[in-house]
Amino acid sequence: QVYVVFNEELKCWCRALVKSVRRQGDGYQLGCFLVDYAKYCSVASENIRILAGAFAKIPHRAKKCRLHCTKPLTLHIDYCENTAKIGPAKRWDTAAIQHFQKLLG
């Protein structure tokens, strides 16, 4: 279900999917995916509302997708042999994700 959350960074109300809920002090922190900005953020539970009426039917601007035939790579360092080689990885590393986001932005 899509909700409306107030995002402190953007300083506006945004449509979001709730991905996680954590108890924090006297309330809850919600891990949200902003469907129109393709961003993840954390929101306090008092900053969430139910999305009403026709607004719920507007298509999301952000779509989850994958890069076709692109596999993650990483640098494998062998300290004993003093070598470094690029090879396959299970997940994308943070530097690769940030570089890709810069290319898109």
Side-chain angles (χ1 to χ4, degrees):
Q1 181 173 350
V2 179
Y3 295 92
V4 179
V5 298
F6 187 78
N7 182 275
E8 296 289 338
E9 181 184 340
L10 299 171
K11 306 244 186 289
C12 66
W13 289 90
C14 307
R15 295 185 300 163
L17 295 170
V18 176
K19 295 295 187 180
S20 65
V21 179
R22 288 187 324 262
R23 184 156 180 74
Q24 191 169 19
D26 59 347
Y28 293 92
Q29 275 303 109
L30 309 169
C32 297
F33 177 73
L34 304 180
V35 298
D36 294 318
Y37 294 91
K39 291 180 77 165
Y40 287 93
C41 68
S42 187
V43 177
S45 57
E46 62 266 9
N47 289 333
I48 187 169
R49 306 288 186 270
I50 292 175
L51 186 61
F55 291 112
K57 295 179 177 131
I58 299 171
H60 304 159
R61 289 178 34 195
K63 302 242 185 247
K64 289 199 172 202
C65 60
R66 294 178 184 216
L67 297 175
H68 182 67
C69 293
T70 304
K71 307 258 187 230
L73 298 173
T74 192
L75 187 63
H76 296 283
I77 300 172
D78 187 340
Y79 292 104
C80 296
E81 294 184 24
N82 200 23
T83 60
K85 296 178 185 173
I86 293 179
K90 291 181 183 174
R91 302 183 71 203
W92 291 99
D93 59 24
T94 306
I97 293 168
Q98 289 172 350
H99 178 69
F100 184 71
Q101 288 173 338
K102 278 184 186 177
L103 292 174
L104 294 176

